[in-house]
Amino acid sequence: MKLLYHIYSFLFCVSFIFGNDYFPPEQIPPTHSNAKSLDLINYFKNNDENRSDNIIISNYRDINQTRNELSKDDIAHLLRRTTFGARIEDIQQAYELGLNSTLNLLFTKNEKPIPEFNWIYHYHHPDFSQLSSAEKDSIRDQYELNFIDLKFWWLDLMKNSGINITEMMVLFWHDHFATSSETVKFTPSMYVQNQLLRQFATGNFKNLVKTMNYDPAMLEWLDNNQNYFINDGTFTFNENYARELLELFTMGEGNYSQFDIEEATRSLTGISSDGLMHSIFSPIRHDFGNKTILDVTDDIGVDNLIDLIFERQEPALFLSRKLYQWFVYKIPDEIIVEQMANIMVIHNYEIEPVLRALFASEHFYDINFRGSKYKSPVWFTLNTKHKLYIDISNNMDYILWYNYLLGQSLFYPPDVSGWDGYRSWINTYTLPYRKAYSNQIVDGYNNIIPEWSYVINFVEKFSDPHNPVLLLNEMLEYFLAIQPSQQTKDLLLEELLDGSEVYDWYLYDPGSESRIKTVIKHIMRLEEFQVR
């Protein structure tokens, strides 16, 4: 059955590629508008009503039960979940360091990266009311080109992050506080928010939420810059931010009432922004006076509201559940979640102690969680090239085009709830494109992607490339979180040997490079390659 699946997928992929010779497009910048005009913008939802999960219940349900020693497979699992692509040297380095030193590397605080873009210093929105239609269009077009710069910069940070969790956490927070450039078109605002998420990457959740109240991009995205009160005859209440603050950012659905939203809206009045770096709390635009929120009555202001929310147990549980889903498995183990939440509260909502405990636990390394997460488009496109030691710097456009198509374009989440993720990443539409992508980065594509020429150098990195059986097994362990069937391994070995015997294998034979590339392409077509 599995073999039939592979044959079907291969034939489907081949026919798909031959029918789509012009993707990705050439000589067109991968802006959101261009992608939209080419009908390439995709967002996918999970449709699990008629599906049942075989829920993974670990035998290890105490987060304090720690793993004393890590195998190379354990290390690969840790780095697969916390970084964007551990290479052979990274896995070996972490293995030699051991768990504690590897965790220290993961949580090392780096200097704030500053891109070399002049536009990040544009402190004010232009006054569009004074501009012609042509001038407005020109500015908007430049904003979109700026977002290409911003995406390139962030992808480069992901690629070069090494054994460090920061950029993975920036992506986590970008999904958590999902803000879209479809609304916030002023690129510097989104840059400032991205740096804010980096500043608090593994820091204090409560302080991050307090700071997010004043973030210019968030103020525009959820309309809280339009939420003000001057007197009983002059006011505009906008509930958008208050609702998402309670539902999506801190507490979760069902833990508050509509009245709580209305009263929290009053607490959040009076904040405005210059559109970039500065936000202002204006007392004359704030609704002072008693409000009753979460059964507490007082003159609750902006920061008081966050203090009040974080006095309850829901924020720690809510975020711990999301962290578990991000790093372990879609269906959270509530026993582990409660233990994570307890650690979070004990450490006054610092994130690092929670993640350190999780990544040191036997629960995290349970073999049943290997391959339980689907590769997101950003992770898939970046990691696939990185694992092959392909420099992405000169063909970022290619990655951006595919990320549109596969459903995850940075700075353009589908809505305030972020990306659905999980099974939504893989479907009959995206799977052929994923296989087309992996084929193209090996074989090359027109003038965009050169043919992969690092083949022999790559396989020489394995322990014994002159032993085809060992070489194949190590490549499978390197590329896959879970191993395929023995039947699939045998077929791949036959392909590698091309009819020869094992003892006839010669790495530097004129035909070896071509066969190695074919085997790697077939590994990347396996269903096991789509998970991590």
Side-chain angles (χ1 to χ4, degrees):
M1 181 63 70
K2 196 167 193 176
L3 178 58
L4 289 175
Y5 168 87
H6 295 320
I7 294 172
Y8 170 77
S9 296
F10 170 67
L11 293 175
F12 185 29
C13 183
V14 169
S15 64
F16 182 87
I17 294 169
F18 281 116
N20 291 269
D21 293 331
Y22 301 104
F23 186 84
E26 297 183 62
Q27 301 178 339
I28 303 174
T31 64
H32 189 78
S33 292
N34 285 339
K36 185 181 288 186
S37 67
L38 294 170
D39 198 25
L40 299 178
I41 303 294
N42 290 303
Y43 299 119
F44 303 101
K45 291 288 186 180
N46 286 304
N47 185 14
D48 294 339
E49 289 85 355
N50 299 318
R51 300 188 63 167
S52 60
D53 283 277
N54 294 320
I55 298 175
I56 300 173
I57 300 177
S58 173
N59 291 325
Y60 306 104
R61 307 188 77 185
D62 182 354
I63 201 170
N64 297 309
Q65 186 177 356
T66 59
R67 176 67 66 99
N68 294 323
E69 293 185 7
L70 297 186
S71 66
K72 277 192 178 181
D73 193 44
D74 294 332
I75 287 290
H77 174 67
L78 172 64
L79 299 184
R80 206 177 283 123
R81 294 296 175 89
T82 56
T83 71
F84 289 92
R87 289 173 168 173
I88 295 167
E89 296 84 357
D90 299 319
I91 296 169
Q92 183 63 32
Q93 179 189 3
Y95 177 67
E96 292 173 0
L97 285 173
L99 177 59
N100 289 334
S101 295
T102 298
L103 291 180
N104 290 338
L105 267 183
L106 277 174
F107 291 101
T108 297
K109 305 297 188 293
N110 297 321
E111 289 187 15
K112 178 181 176 180
I114 305 294
E116 297 179 354
F117 307 140
N118 289 331
W119 55 257
I120 67 174
Y121 303 108
H122 295 175
Y123 295 125
H124 300 285
H125 281 287
D127 186 353
F128 273 58
S129 65
Q130 303 299 313
L131 301 177
S132 67
S133 296
E135 288 172 324
K136 293 175 186 177
D137 289 342
S138 176
I139 290 173
R140 292 189 184 106
D141 289 345
Q142 185 58 53
Y143 287 168
E144 289 217 70
L145 293 175
N146 292 348
F147 274 113
I148 295 178
D149 289 342
L150 192 57
K151 290 180 181 183
F152 284 0
W153 174 72
W154 191 9
L155 286 170
D156 193 63
L157 290 178
M158 293 176 185
K159 178 200 73 171
N160 293 316
S161 58
I163 303 176
N164 191 281
I165 199 173
T166 300
E167 297 309 319
M168 180 63 77
M169 285 302 299
V170 177
L171 184 58
F172 169 81
W173 290 123
H174 180 41
D175 186 58
H176 182 81
F177 292 105
T179 307
S180 175
S181 302
E182 188 116 46
T183 296
V184 187
K185 299 182 184 297
F186 191 48
T187 328
S189 294
M190 292 298 287
Y191 164 74
V192 168
Q193 187 186 85
N194 188 259
Q195 289 286 32
L196 173 64
L197 302 180
R198 190 167 289 106
Q199 175 187 345
F200 286 95
T202 58
N204 192 280
F205 177 39
K206 180 178 176 181
N207 289 342
L208 173 56
V209 175
K210 281 189 173 183
T211 308
M212 192 60 70
N213 285 342
Y214 301 90
D215 175 66
M218 182 60 73
L219 283 167
E220 181 174 354
W221 170 234
L222 291 179
D223 307 311
N224 207 51
N225 55 354
Q226 301 172 24
N227 183 35
Y228 65 88
F229 177 91
I230 296 177
N231 54 51
D232 288 336
T234 309
F235 64 89
T236 298
F237 289 147
N238 191 301
E239 298 178 359
N240 286 353
Y241 181 64
R243 177 178 292 103
E244 308 309 351
L245 173 67
L246 295 173
E247 179 180 336
L248 296 176
F249 301 161
T250 60
M251 298 186 70
E253 194 172 2
N255 293 307
Y256 57 88
S257 67
Q258 174 58 30
F259 185 71
D260 290 325
I261 293 173
E262 293 168 4
E263 293 288 86
T265 299
R266 295 176 57 210
S267 293
L268 293 165
T269 51
I271 307 172
S272 59
S273 169
D274 64 358
L276 176 59
M277 300 183 70
H278 305 102
S279 296
I280 302 167
F281 174 75
S282 175
I284 63 171
R285 292 165 58 90
H286 180 72
D287 185 2
F288 289 96
N290 282 351
K291 301 123 184 140
T292 299
I293 306 172
L294 302 174
D295 299 325
V296 174
T297 301
D298 204 344
D299 182 5
I300 302 169
V302 179
D303 288 348
N304 305 135
L305 173 63
I306 306 306
D307 291 334
L308 176 61
I309 291 171
F310 277 79
E311 287 175 2
R312 301 173 68 90
Q313 64 176 354
E314 285 86 2
L317 286 167
F318 179 69
L319 189 70
S320 294
R321 193 170 290 114
K322 290 196 72 171
L323 288 168
Y324 185 99
Q325 292 174 309
W326 188 265
F327 288 107
V328 184
Y329 182 47
K330 175 69 173 180
I331 303 173
D333 185 317
E334 291 299 327
I335 292 176
I336 297 294
V337 166
E338 288 183 16
Q339 294 168 2
M340 292 169 66
N342 289 338
I343 295 170
M344 191 180 296
V345 172
I346 289 170
H347 289 88
N348 193 29
Y349 292 95
E350 291 289 331
I351 301 302
E352 181 177 332
V354 180
L355 293 180
R356 276 184 176 267
L358 180 64
F359 300 150
S361 69
E362 287 280 8
H363 182 86
F364 179 79
Y365 295 99
D366 190 319
I367 194 70
N368 293 303
F369 291 127
R370 310 293 165 92
S372 64
K373 288 188 64 63
Y374 295 85
K375 295 178 180 178
S376 73
V378 168
W379 202 95
F380 171 80
T381 51
L382 197 61
N383 175 267
T384 302
K385 300 190 75 171
H386 192 66
K387 296 283 270 188
L388 291 174
Y389 294 78
I390 297 173
D391 183 14
I392 69 169
S393 303
N394 297 324
N395 42 58
M396 289 279 203
D397 285 21
Y398 179 74
I399 291 178
L400 297 192
W401 282 121
Y402 266 100
N403 285 342
Y404 283 124
L405 205 60
L406 298 176
Q408 189 184 32
S409 178
L410 296 175
F411 301 105
Y412 290 92
D415 54 45
V416 69
S417 64
W419 289 278
D420 239 27
Y422 193 44
R423 289 197 182 107
S424 72
W425 296 138
I426 308 291
N427 54 54
T428 55
Y429 181 86
T430 62
L431 187 59
Y433 275 114
R434 283 176 174 243
K435 294 177 179 180
Y437 178 86
S438 58
N439 276 354
Q440 288 173 349
I441 65 173
V442 174
D443 292 336
Y445 172 72
N446 290 355
N447 297 316
I448 301 179
I449 301 295
E451 183 178 358
W452 185 43
S453 60
Y454 196 69
V455 185
I456 299 301
N457 303 79
F458 170 71
V459 296
E460 285 177 333
K461 294 178 179 292
F462 293 97
S463 66
D464 186 2
H466 303 289
N467 181 332
V469 177
L470 183 59
L471 173 61
L472 177 62
N473 285 336
E474 289 187 355
M475 285 198 300
L476 288 169
E477 290 171 357
Y478 177 63
F479 285 114
L480 306 178
I482 50 177
Q483 294 302 295
S485 68
Q486 187 59 50
Q487 184 183 24
T488 299
K489 290 182 179 181
D490 291 343
L491 289 170
L492 290 170
L493 182 61
E494 287 178 18
E495 199 161 38
L496 183 63
L497 295 173
D498 193 29
S500 300
E501 298 296 332
V502 170
Y503 53 76
D504 288 328
W505 167 254
Y506 180 54
L507 177 61
Y508 305 107
D509 183 275
S512 295
E513 180 171 321
S514 176
R515 295 200 300 275
I516 291 167
K517 288 171 68 174
T518 299
V519 167
I520 288 175
K521 285 192 296 182
H522 285 180
I523 289 173
M524 293 191 291
R525 289 176 191 152
L526 297 176
E527 56 190 6
E528 290 87 355
F529 188 72
Q530 304 304 326
V531 296
R532 62 184 178 97

